[in-house]
Amino acid sequence: MSETKSLLGSPQSDIRDANLYVHSISEAGRIVPSASRWSSIEIDDGRFHDPTAVLPRSHYMISTPPKYSKSVAFNLVIADKRSLKRFIAISISLVLLILAAFLILKFLPHKESGSGTAKDLSKALSQALLFFDAQKSGILPENNPVGFRGNSGLHDGNASKTLHVDLVGGFYDSGNNIKFGFPAAYTITLLSWSAIEYKNKYESIGELDHVTDIIKWGSDYLLKVFREPPNSTTTDHTDHVILYSQARSTDTSRESADNDINCWQRPEDMSYPRPVSLCRSSASDLAGETVAALSAASIVFKNTEKQYSEKLVHAAQKMFDFVTKDKSQGVYTQLRGCGAEAREYYNSSGYLDELVWAGTWMFFATGNSTYLQYALDNFQRAVNAELTQDKGVLYWNNKLPANVVLLSRLRYFIDPGYPYETILKTCSNITTKLMCSYLYLHDNFNKTAGGLILLRPSESAPLQYAAAAAFLTKLYKDYLHLMQTSGGSCTSEESFTVRYILGDNPLKLSYLVGFGNKYPTHVHHRAASIPQDDQAYSCGAGKRWLFSRDPNPNLLVGAMVAGPDNEDKFSDKRDAPEYTEPTISGNAGLVAALVALLEAPSTSNDISGGLDQLGIFTNIRP
């Protein structure tokens, strides 16, 4: 790919040497740096040379004098000493009673209610991250914190005589032993975004290394799924590119066949063939999301593992070039050998949102404005292609709600100006309406009697959608807080969604396994439901654990289950996955929401509120 100028100047230009201009953004109620003279005024003020100085100064209210004097003379006369003594005795008794009650409440052990306190959120976040350690495939590290898991899937990619590729690693998607590329890439994108924005919060509770380890485990695998045959001699490489979409078989046409759906086995005991699905074209959505994941992850590792970060960017660039030049763009589930087997589980309804998502993250990862231009040129097409039932819903199949929030961040804090302003303003307007739709439900969304927002009421597993929405709303609220404005916007009560998940619901049940005193114990999960007793159970023998009414012998700490139905009812049954099955994509949304709601560390200033102001712009040189 030819080298292009970075946004707002040459790659070598320095912010201190440039004449600066400003725009006024009505929603923000402030001025921000601009890229050009378009609708701008020139500022000759040294303080704008500091990128953090664009934040407005705090305004203080000047208090007025009190209406009444604080000094009033009273003439007190004791008429009855007996009444006085009685009054003093009663007062002392009340004080002692209040003091005793306080000491009892303070020193007696407390039940975890999932109320959303800082301690609760910190613990819930640490537990939610553990779920990803339970989902790891491949050769596990010696210090893997989930004791009932071991090495598995060590022959993935070598299931046939004709195919020999290393696809060891990655994450099992849910309660089965399948590795789906589409939701896995979405998971890494979302976790990376949360780590970029809230790095200080992760660090303050000692979980920064943990979340980056999870991201790296996923990005290492995503580097393996894209292959260009080295002996290709043609100019158009799209006919030779291979994108691996899935490792295992979900073919249920033969019920007697042993595979990852028909078998109820621990991953460590798998002995049946695990064929690989691959795509040579028409996988624009899968490729786009993989590009986004690698790009976002590269920002996470830019300052700690520079060489690895560059490797991620290089792979993302090659894949982006492939997918945007592919003449047969389409969704990965439309072709039999590519993703048809995933259709029942992760069917993709379109690919334009993933391509815009990919272009946006490539811009943040490289600073190359060509990628931003691509994203904005295709934005309206993606909006037009969005399904009605998906509007405003962030999940593995729809990235537009997250994309408009991310592009709004670009407009508010960098403001690239002309020729991007029109589309970026559209994004910020959509974002504002989206936040209002979460808060003032009206005709957009309904909620259960217990207060859980139902973003896709015709589908099960409502918690995954609600958690992702909670992340977006808190993140956007933090953007507004950083700009010291709240005018012209709506932000939902996102903390209620998390409190609902953690136990503040009609059943008083925590949907996060291991959190609180009451949570699901029959989680739909093969590894958690079969005892670790040094016996390898066959496919047939393993099914006794699927239908057993005993609690899981292994506690799957940190797994957010699918959740209740539309009437707040829940069935804690292992053979009812619509209630009890967790997924890595659902947990990614919960992790992002939890860290966003976590109290800012004491080391952060009052303005930032724990949000990294400039980290996401590390590759963009204004």
Side-chain angles (χ1 to χ4, degrees):
M1 182 177 295
S2 61
E3 182 180 355
T4 59
K5 289 180 65 178
S6 63
L7 180 65
L8 310 182
S10 65
Q12 292 78 24
S13 64
D14 188 89
I15 189 172
R16 298 183 181 276
D17 298 328
N19 290 328
L20 298 180
Y21 304 87
V22 295
H23 279 286
S24 174
I25 298 178
S26 57
E27 299 96 323
R30 65 186 187 90
I31 56 176
V32 295
S34 176
S36 67
R37 298 173 182 269
W38 186 267
S39 301
S40 308
I41 60 172
E42 184 172 357
I43 297 296
D44 184 16
D45 187 342
R47 74 187 182 92
F48 280 91
H49 293 164
D50 180 359
T52 62
V54 299
L55 297 175
R57 299 178 180 274
S58 300
H59 298 281
Y60 299 92
M61 297 297 294
I62 302 176
S63 60
T64 58
K67 185 176 181 180
Y68 301 102
S69 171
K70 295 181 180 179
S71 177
V72 180
F74 291 97
N75 294 319
L76 300 178
V77 178
I78 299 175
D80 187 343
K81 290 185 178 181
R82 181 179 299 176
S83 298
L84 175 62
K85 291 180 180 179
R86 187 182 298 115
F87 170 75
I88 293 174
I90 294 174
S91 299
I92 293 174
S93 300
L94 287 174
V95 170
L96 292 175
L97 183 62
I98 293 172
L99 179 61
F102 171 78
L103 292 175
I104 291 173
L105 291 173
K106 182 175 181 62
F107 292 107
L108 281 180
H110 296 275
K111 292 184 178 181
E112 296 176 31
S113 62
S115 60
T117 64
K119 185 177 179 181
D120 288 338
L121 293 178
S122 177
K123 181 176 182 179
L125 175 57
S126 298
Q127 290 182 334
L129 288 171
L130 280 175
F131 174 67
F132 295 96
D133 296 304
Q135 297 303 105
K136 286 180 178 177
S137 178
I139 302 175
L140 302 188
E142 293 182 0
N143 60 345
N144 192 60
V146 180
F148 63 86
R149 286 299 324 284
N151 298 338
S152 63
L154 303 184
H155 301 289
D156 284 351
N158 291 280
S160 68
K161 296 180 180 180
T162 59
L163 180 64
H164 298 282
V165 61
D166 176 15
L167 291 179
V168 176
F171 296 101
Y172 298 116
D173 158 70
S174 56
N176 54 51
N177 300 335
I178 305 172
K179 296 191 297 193
F180 290 106
F182 195 44
Y186 164 79
T187 296
I188 298 306
T189 309
L190 200 53
L191 289 178
S192 296
W193 191 10
S194 75
I196 295 167
E197 300 280 28
Y198 296 111
K199 175 183 176 182
N200 294 333
K201 288 187 178 183
Y202 277 117
E203 193 169 27
S204 70
I205 63 169
E207 292 291 351
L208 181 59
D209 289 343
H210 193 182
V211 70
T212 54
D213 170 75
I214 292 168
I215 293 169
K216 193 172 190 295
W217 192 272
S219 57
D220 280 347
Y221 179 75
L222 294 179
L223 286 171
K224 297 180 178 183
V225 302
F226 180 71
R227 296 294 178 93
E228 284 185 304
N231 57 354
S232 175
T233 57
T234 62
T235 303
D236 185 3
H237 295 287
T238 58
D239 293 333
H240 304 274
V241 166
I242 294 176
L243 183 62
Y244 298 101
S245 64
Q246 189 172 321
R248 65 352 71 228
S249 175
T250 56
D251 185 8
T252 57
S253 59
R254 292 182 301 148
E255 294 186 3
S256 60
D258 290 347
N259 59 39
D260 291 282
I261 295 299
N262 295 331
C263 281
W264 193 264
Q265 273 187 316
R266 298 175 70 245
E268 294 78 4
D269 297 336
M270 294 183 299
S271 59
Y272 46 80
R274 286 171 59 81
V276 173
S277 297
L278 57 87
C279 314
R280 299 185 185 275
S281 62
S282 299
S284 311
D285 42 6
L286 176 61
E289 185 58 64
T290 306
V291 169
L294 295 175
S295 301
S298 74
I299 302 175
V300 173
F301 296 104
K302 183 175 179 62
N303 296 324
T304 57
E305 299 183 47
K306 185 177 181 181
Q307 188 174 359
Y308 182 68
S309 175
E310 292 173 350
K311 182 179 181 180
L312 294 173
V313 171
H314 180 65
Q317 287 174 324
K318 289 172 63 178
M319 201 178 307
F320 186 85
D321 189 49
F322 153 65
V323 69
T324 54
K325 292 181 179 179
D326 187 4
K327 298 177 182 178
S328 55
Q329 289 185 340
V331 297
Y332 83 110
T333 50
Q334 70 181 2
L335 298 178
R336 178 174 178 78
C338 175
E341 286 192 19
R343 197 176 298 154
E344 183 180 347
Y345 308 95
Y346 292 101
N347 187 42
S348 178
S349 59
Y351 60 87
L352 288 171
D353 59 319
E354 278 82 24
L355 293 184
V356 172
W357 189 230
T360 302
W361 275 112
M362 281 298 295
F363 168 66
F364 281 102
T366 65
N368 188 331
S369 59
T370 302
Y371 297 117
L372 177 62
Q373 189 66 60
Y374 177 90
L376 299 184
D377 285 348
N378 290 276
F379 175 78
Q380 193 56 52
R381 291 176 59 211
V383 171
N384 295 340
E386 186 179 24
L387 297 179
T388 301
Q389 61 267 32
D390 281 351
K391 289 188 180 298
V393 185
L394 171 61
Y395 70 117
W396 49 264
N397 186 42
N398 186 27
K399 318 302 161 37
L400 274 176
N403 217 145
V404 295
V405 173
L406 189 57
L407 289 173
S408 295
R409 192 193 204 313
L410 176 66
R411 179 175 184 247
Y412 291 158
F413 295 96
I414 294 294
D415 182 27
Y418 181 83
Y420 312 108
E421 177 63 15
T422 300
I423 296 297
L424 291 181
K425 186 176 181 180
T426 298
C427 289
S428 60
N429 290 339
I430 293 175
T431 300
T432 298
K433 292 178 181 178
L434 178 62
M435 299 303 134
C436 291
S437 69
Y438 290 158
L439 178 60
Y440 304 110
L441 302 178
H442 297 308
D443 297 329
N444 298 88
F445 305 113
N446 296 318
K447 61 181 180 180
T448 67
L452 177 65
I453 187 172
L454 296 172
L455 296 173
R456 301 187 80 222
S458 62
E459 302 291 332
S460 60
L463 299 185
Q464 61 175 320
Y465 312 117
F471 166 62
L472 289 184
T473 51
K474 181 57 170 68
L475 182 64
Y476 185 66
K477 181 182 291 184
D478 286 345
Y479 292 165
L480 297 181
H481 177 75
L482 190 56
M483 294 188 301
Q484 296 184 307
T485 181
S486 59
S489 66
C490 300
T491 51
S492 87
E493 183 58 32
E494 67 284 338
S495 62
F496 176 77
T497 295
V498 172
R499 294 200 310 270
Y500 184 102
I501 294 173
L502 298 182
D504 189 5
N505 53 64
L507 299 179
K508 303 304 178 186
L509 174 72
S510 168
Y511 292 109
L512 184 68
V513 178
F515 186 86
N517 296 321
K518 184 182 178 184
Y519 46 79
T521 58
H522 298 75
V523 181
H524 182 92
H525 193 273
R526 286 161 172 78
S529 65
I530 301 177
Q532 188 185 20
D533 54 6
D534 297 324
Q535 296 187 47
Y537 294 95
S538 66
C539 287
K543 286 192 175 180
R544 59 174 285 204
W545 305 107
L546 170 61
F547 300 107
S548 170
R549 292 308 174 207
D550 295 331
N552 286 353
N554 305 308
L555 190 63
L556 193 64
V557 175
M560 182 183 75
V561 296
D565 61 18
N566 293 0
E567 298 179 349
D568 296 302
K569 296 178 181 179
F570 180 78
S571 179
D572 188 11
K573 295 180 179 179
R574 196 175 296 111
D575 56 348
E578 66 274 21
Y579 293 101
T580 60
E581 187 169 26
T583 63
I584 56 173
S585 55
N587 252 65
L590 177 62
V591 165
L594 286 168
V595 72
L597 288 166
L598 195 67
E599 186 176 340
S602 59
T603 55
S604 64
N605 60 61
D606 292 335
I607 295 179
S608 71
L611 184 75
D612 189 333
Q613 305 175 45
L614 303 175
I616 200 168
F617 303 125
T618 185
N619 297 299
I620 302 174
R621 299 176 63 89

